[in-house]
Amino acid sequence: GYKFVKPIINEYDIKIANLEVTLAGKPYKGYPQFSAPDELAETLVSTGFNVILTSNNHSCDRGSKGVLRTLDVLDELGVAHTGTFRNKEERDKNYPLMIEQNGMNVAMLNYTYGTNGLKVAPPLIINYIDSTVIRKDIAKAKALNADYIICNMHWGKEYLHTPDKYQKNWEAFCYSAGADMVIGGHPHTVQPIVRKKIENEERLTVWSLGNFVSNMSVRYTRGGVMVGTSLIKEDGKTSLGKTEQTLVYVHKKQ
């Protein structure tokens, strides 16, 4: 099902997907508490995705086993991932996720507003949206000589076509803390993509990508948008280059 988008995805170096299910093994489960077959992750990787985000409102769907097995499967596939962790030591070592590409260090951050009221016991860690944590993580990214910092946020109200106050507040916070780009998901609908100047620096906010692939039937949730952008490093400074969007639609086989 990804054959039509694979050539577009592979025009880019860093290819990021939000995995909004667990890989908890059999029995496989759909809504509301997901456990998807491992083949889903295998297909994402074979399609070209090389960064998987795991912090979202379904991270805890299948309990501690689901969190751990999801990380195990992604590790076995050899794909970079971030957002959930086995323990504090693992998070301290691997977060922010630093990706070195074409002479640039890109820091990847990932947070969720919540996990549908479900929790997992320590030492497991789910990255929740928290001002103290985000500020500290961005400061660490800068200390690790990040050229560019991307906050991937799982936020907002489902089915809205424009960002709500919660999204706007946290977007402003991320930029004030030092992020360079903010990419959102969760509403399941496409929301605006905005290039803006903040303190004379060009920034990119994607309020919501919508759905890349899903089985949702609510109007406007059958599609999404893939956003690609280039980063340019000159004289030690990294800036935002050309940005492109590709709309996608899920056509269910009858």
Side-chain angles (χ1 to χ4, degrees):
Y2 296 162
K3 65 183 179 180
F4 301 107
V5 294
K6 184 174 182 177
I8 301 167
I9 292 165
N10 287 291
E11 291 175 9
Y12 296 89
D13 298 306
I14 303 172
K15 295 154 284 191
I16 309 154
N18 167 45
L19 183 67
E20 203 167 342
V21 293
T22 66
L23 303 169
K26 294 180 179 180
Y28 303 130
K29 297 280 187 179
Y31 181 83
Q33 295 178 351
F34 296 94
S35 178
D38 297 353
E39 285 83 356
L40 173 62
E42 292 166 7
T43 304
L44 288 173
V45 173
S46 65
T47 297
F49 288 105
N50 52 18
V51 176
I52 304 295
L53 307 174
T54 57
S55 178
N56 53 67
N57 63 307
H58 290 284
S59 298
C60 301
D61 275 5
R62 309 305 296 168
S64 297
K65 175 197 171 186
V67 175
L68 285 168
R69 195 176 182 283
T70 300
L71 297 174
D72 289 344
V73 171
L74 296 176
D75 283 344
E76 288 169 14
L77 291 171
V79 63
H81 56 85
T82 197
T84 59
F85 308 89
R86 295 177 179 87
N87 49 53
K88 183 178 183 297
E89 292 74 23
E90 184 176 78
R91 190 184 192 277
D92 289 346
K93 179 182 177 183
N94 298 326
Y95 196 77
L97 175 63
M98 302 296 293
I99 304 165
E100 188 175 348
Q101 189 76 45
N102 299 343
M104 283 179 264
N105 286 316
V106 178
M108 201 68 59
L109 305 174
N110 178 212
Y111 307 93
T112 181
Y113 73 93
T115 45
N116 297 342
L118 302 172
K119 299 287 184 181
V120 290
L124 293 175
I125 295 174
I126 310 296
N127 275 357
Y128 292 104
I129 294 174
D130 178 287
S131 58
T132 303
V133 172
I134 295 173
R135 194 181 297 279
K136 184 178 178 181
D137 292 340
I138 290 176
K140 183 180 177 183
K142 291 181 180 292
L144 293 171
N145 299 314
D147 294 298
Y148 210 80
I149 300 172
I150 303 174
C151 283
N152 297 275
M153 309 294 282
H154 206 78
W155 61 5
K157 289 188 175 68
E158 292 182 324
Y159 316 131
L160 293 186
H161 298 276
T162 55
D164 62 12
K165 185 177 179 181
Y166 180 89
Q167 289 167 276
K168 291 177 181 178
N169 287 343
W170 281 109
E171 183 234 24
F173 175 83
C174 288
Y175 286 134
S176 70
D180 298 297
M181 184 185 293
V182 178
I183 308 292
H186 176 65
H188 302 296
T189 49
V190 175
Q191 293 182 354
I193 301 166
V194 182
R195 286 177 73 129
K196 58 176 73 177
K197 285 280 183 74
I198 297 179
E199 295 182 359
N200 218 32
E201 298 287 344
E202 195 161 25
R203 302 294 183 229
L204 177 68
T205 298
V206 181
W207 290 109
S208 174
L209 291 163
N211 286 338
F212 178 64
V213 61
S214 81
N215 195 42
M216 295 183 76
S217 57
V218 177
R219 192 179 184 193
Y220 303 120
T221 63
R222 295 283 291 279
V225 60
M226 301 191 297
V227 180
T229 192
S230 57
L231 302 179
I232 303 161
K233 187 174 181 179
E234 293 178 332
D235 301 323
K237 182 178 174 62
T238 304
S239 59
L240 188 65
K242 184 180 180 182
T243 299
E244 297 178 314
Q245 306 89 40
T246 303
L247 295 168
V248 294
Y249 185 81
V250 178
H251 179 73
K252 294 185 183 182
K253 187 176 181 180
Q254 299 300 313

